[in-house]
Amino acid sequence: MDPKAMKSDLVLILDYGSQYTHLITRRIRSLSVFSLCISGTSPLKAITELNPCVVILSGGPHSVHTPDSPSFPEGFAEWAESNGVFVLGVCYGLQLIVQRLGGEVRVGEKQEYGRMEIEVGKNHGIFGNKSVGDRQVVWMSHGDEVARLPEGFEIVGRSQQGAVAAVQSLDRRFYGLQYHPEVTHSPEGMETLQHFLFDICGISAGWKMEDVMEEEIKVIKGTVGPEDHVICALSGGVDSTVAATLVYKAIGDRLHCVFVDNGLLRFKERERVMETFEKDLHLPVTCVDATEQFLSKLKGVEDPEIKRKIIGKEFICIFDTFAHELEQKLGRKPTYLVQGTLYPDVIESCPPPGTGRTHSHTIKSHHNVGGLPKDMKLKLIEPLKLLFKDEVRQLGRILNVPQGFLKRHPFPGPGLAVRVLGDVTKNNALDILRQVDEIFIQSIRDAGLYDEIWQAFAVFLPVRSVGVQGDQRTHSHVVALRAVTSQDGMTADWYYFEHKFLDDVARKICNSVRGVNRVVQDITSKPPSTIEWE
């Protein structure tokens, strides 16, 4: 997508490293407003070229008192004021505004973390029609506090401890909230964001997925020459399938799809996926069996980051070979490779602070982002890289991808390699995990729970436990079951199963899968954990 071509006002978020930054992006998009997130230290030119109507400065773990703390570029405030751009600072972002515009921020006498009440001090501005004295619960997370406001600013809210909770300068169009309005722990936060965007900033809610489809088809046609051929890496998941369908709509039979069996697929995944491609989607797909190629390279490898990078590299080698074979067949070399990279993939593969590129931490390198080799011969087309998962499903519905396919749970590009902790080639781990996973998922389907869950899967743990099976002592493997609910994969809560369901599943697994004598459940949310274990 070209942000400048979107039929909607752009809200630009400058990221200073808060774990909630991308939740702001998602919340604003849910209001049918296009939002985009870039590094908080981006040069002024990068900001102005996007021509945003509103800029939101995110929270972050830093203190404005630290010499190397990140900040918006020189000239940003002047540019915003002279161009009528509205600016909202959230948490650390508020403190940046105050300090950079001539106010004072000091280390707070009392730090404020978690739920806290604030009181409205003005009945106009960012709190809309709230009356003076009205209270609301918000989610605080700060150690520093505002001591003195810049010229032209006023306090419009305080915490129950007396700290400044909200400020504004109506004339200068600068606003600030010391709390996080985007999280569910701030129940009235979305109401405040809506009022700010629509009533104060005059943003129009005109962003639709139909516009995204039209714009992306236009971009693909403009990128791919009339004689160029394109390869698409199909994984069998929603993302790559929607990406392939979109590109096929743009360039037709110059798209050549390849499905790679890397030996890391789920139970009968290859047969099931190929049948869906042929019968339901009518996409031209070549299946490549590369099981031995992948598993031989992964033998003895335990580090998850190395596993991901090996898998990424092997995928590209296969695509290069496939491209060479196509060249001999077509008399023309394919130029591009399509991948179903999503926004969360890009976000979580960002490098850590200190690299000069962003201030958010690397969570993991996705095989189709951080794992790609630098000498890759094919150019990338990633039509979904600014979309979240639920937005991709929306796009898929518009493209007439079958509903049953769109509802499939996400499956990681590296496959079971990131669900077998340690060496994937040892202890018959892959076969054991496939059987366990099939029992778990089928039980969820039989119970009518599949559509309630964002993602469910089993994990093979690198430990053995003592058990008793058939009146004999066993020393067998342990598997973990994980199921989560989520909207976009950026945050997630564990799914609460009835005890009888878990009891039945554990019994089926231990009775049916040779080599397993213990089943545990993962009940950790994201954060602090990620959804996948590696």
Side-chain angles (χ1 to χ4, degrees), residues 211-279:
D211 296 335
V212 174
M213 181 185 72
E214 290 173 13
E215 176 59 28
E216 197 53 54
I217 288 173
K218 194 187 303 179
V219 169
I220 293 166
K221 286 181 175 178
T223 302
V224 179
E227 302 296 323
D228 288 339
H229 286 258
V230 178
I231 292 173
C232 181
L234 277 178
S235 68
V238 174
D239 311 332
S240 63
T241 302
V242 172
T245 307
L246 185 64
V247 175
Y248 189 70
K249 190 175 179 68
I251 65 170
D253 59 10
R254 288 183 291 128
L255 173 70
H256 309 272
C257 298
V258 56
F259 175 75
V260 180
D261 183 352
N262 58 3
L264 302 166
L265 302 177
R266 290 172 289 195
F267 186 78
K268 292 189 176 179
E269 180 83 350
R270 174 174 166 179
E271 296 88 336
R272 292 169 177 173
V273 164
M274 288 301 294
E275 184 179 2
T276 300
F277 288 151
E278 291 167 10
K279 286 189 175 181

Side-chain angles (χ1 to χ4, degrees), residues 192 236 270 301 402 462 512 532:
T192 301
R270 174 174 166 179
V301 178
S512 306
E532 297 288 346

Side-chain angles (χ1 to χ4, degrees), residues 139-266:
W139 188 258
M140 291 284 193
S141 182
H142 67 101
D144 293 346
E145 64 181 30
V146 174
R148 178 172 52 82
L149 292 178
E151 184 180 346
F153 279 74
E154 60 181 345
I155 297 171
V156 290
R158 287 188 181 273
S159 74
Q160 64 191 50
Q161 295 187 150
V164 174
V167 302
Q168 64 187 27
S169 174
L170 301 181
D171 293 337
R172 301 176 75 176
R173 296 187 177 89
F174 276 80
Y175 298 78
L177 299 173
Q178 188 57 77
Y179 61 92
H180 289 278
E182 70 276 16
V183 302
T184 55
H185 302 305
S186 298
E188 296 177 64
M190 279 302 290
E191 182 185 332
T192 301
L193 276 178
Q194 282 181 270
H195 173 73
F196 173 71
L197 293 174
F198 298 136
D199 299 326
I200 294 178
C201 304
I203 289 285
S204 61
W207 188 61
K208 304 191 300 293
M209 202 50 63
E210 287 84 357
D211 296 335
V212 174
M213 181 185 72
E214 290 173 13
E215 176 59 28
E216 197 53 54
I217 288 173
K218 194 187 303 179
V219 169
I220 293 166
K221 286 181 175 178
T223 302
V224 179
E227 302 296 323
D228 288 339
H229 286 258
V230 178
I231 292 173
C232 181
L234 277 178
S235 68
V238 174
D239 311 332
S240 63
T241 302
V242 172
T245 307
L246 185 64
V247 175
Y248 189 70
K249 190 175 179 68
I251 65 170
D253 59 10
R254 288 183 291 128
L255 173 70
H256 309 272
C257 298
V258 56
F259 175 75
V260 180
D261 183 352
N262 58 3
L264 302 166
L265 302 177
R266 290 172 289 195

Side-chain angles (χ1 to χ4, degrees), residues 62-63 65-71 92 359:
H62 314 276
S63 167
H65 301 297
T66 306
D68 59 350
S69 60
S71 181
Y92 176 77
H359 285 272

